[in-house]
Amino acid sequence: MHFRNISESLAKELCRSLHYLGTYREGSMDFGLFMPGDDLPTAYCSVSGIGFDSRRSGLARMLQVEERQIAVVSRSYTSPLAPRNTVSYLLARVRKALRGRPGGYEVMATAVDSNLGFTGASYAAAGWKLVTKRAVPKYRYIDGNFMADRQVFSSFGTLRSDLLRSALGAAYAESSCGLKPRLIFGVMI
C-alpha cells in the first residue's frame, strides 16, 4: 500500500459519505493508504489540533503537555475489504509523518466511541495506550440526525438542553439510556 497526504476536497467527500458523523473537521491534515492503481484510499485518517471536546475534558492536563502539542485523530475510515492490520499501519505512518512537522506535536490522541461498537483494538495494536475513560452524558439529535457536541455548539451556541429544547422544539431530542464511556487513547509522537 502507498501512504500519502490526501487533498482537503477528497477528505471532505470521504467524511461526508463514509464517516458516521458525516462532517469534515476544518483545518485537518489528511492522510490515506492506497492500493496500487486505486484513486480512492483503502483507509484514511484526518488529524486536527485539539478541539472543543478535548479542551473540555482536560486532555492536555492528563497527558502533561500543552494543548497545542496534541494532534487528534478526528476522523478515520477503513474499507471492509482492507487487508488485516491496515489501521495500525496507517496510524504508524501518520505518526511518522507528524514527527518534526511544524506545529510541535508531541502526542497523538483520539476518542473511541464504545457505544458504536468501537473497541480501540487498532490503536492498542499500534502501541497507543488507554489514557482515560470519559463519560458520555448524552447523544443529541436534531431532526432525527445525530450531532456531535461540537456541531451542536457551533450551530446553536449552547449545549444547554433547556435552551435547545426551547429553540428547536420537537426537532431536538436526546438519548435517554445510559451510555458507555468514551475511550481516550494516546501515544507519544
Side-chain angles (χ1 to χ4, degrees):
M1 279 190 276
H2 175 70
F3 174 80
R4 66 177 166 92
N5 286 73
I6 60 175
S7 69
E8 183 177 298
S9 60
L10 176 56
K12 283 182 176 182
E13 181 57 29
L14 292 170
C15 286
R16 188 192 64 72
S17 61
L18 298 174
H19 193 272
Y20 71 95
L21 289 176
T23 60
Y24 178 74
R25 186 103 168 253
E26 294 296 330
S28 295
M29 294 176 281
D30 307 296
F31 304 94
L33 284 177
F34 294 78
M35 298 298 281
D38 284 354
D39 293 329
L40 294 175
T42 298
Y44 83 89
C45 164
S46 292
V47 177
S48 312
I50 195 168
F52 175 79
D53 294 334
S54 300
R55 274 202 247 4
R56 288 189 322 150
S57 71
L59 182 61
R61 192 173 49 258
M62 279 185 258
L63 297 172
Q64 299 179 344
V65 295
E66 295 178 34
E67 287 182 356
R68 65 174 180 75
Q69 295 175 304
I70 301 174
V72 177
V73 175
S74 52
R75 303 286 185 273
S76 65
Y77 174 81
T78 304
S79 165
L81 303 175
R84 187 176 167 103
N85 300 320
T86 295
V87 175
S88 54
Y89 179 65
L90 174 62
L91 292 169
R93 293 299 307 264
V94 169
R95 187 174 169 194
K96 184 177 178 182
L98 292 178
R99 284 189 189 122
R101 269 202 178 194
Y105 291 122
E106 298 289 330
V107 175
M108 287 177 67
T110 197
V112 175
D113 194 336
S114 54
N115 294 290
L116 300 176
F118 300 119
T119 64
S122 295
Y123 291 97
W128 294 46
K129 302 293 181 211
L130 179 63
V131 176
T132 190
K133 296 178 181 181
R134 188 175 134 224
V136 179
K138 62 186 87 172
Y139 283 157
R140 301 168 196 279
Y141 301 88
I142 311 294
D143 292 323
N145 297 307
F146 170 78
M147 284 184 80
D149 282 353
R150 173 190 327 306
Q151 296 167 294
V152 173
F153 190 82
S154 176
S155 297
F156 304 102
T158 187
L159 293 176
R160 284 188 43 193
S161 299
D162 59 332
L163 296 177
L164 291 165
R165 276 191 203 93
S166 176
L168 299 169
Y172 179 74
E174 297 176 351
S175 59
S176 57
C177 63
L179 296 171
K180 297 176 190 173
R182 192 167 284 141
L183 308 175
I184 310 298
F185 284 86
V187 67
M188 297 301 293
I189 293 176

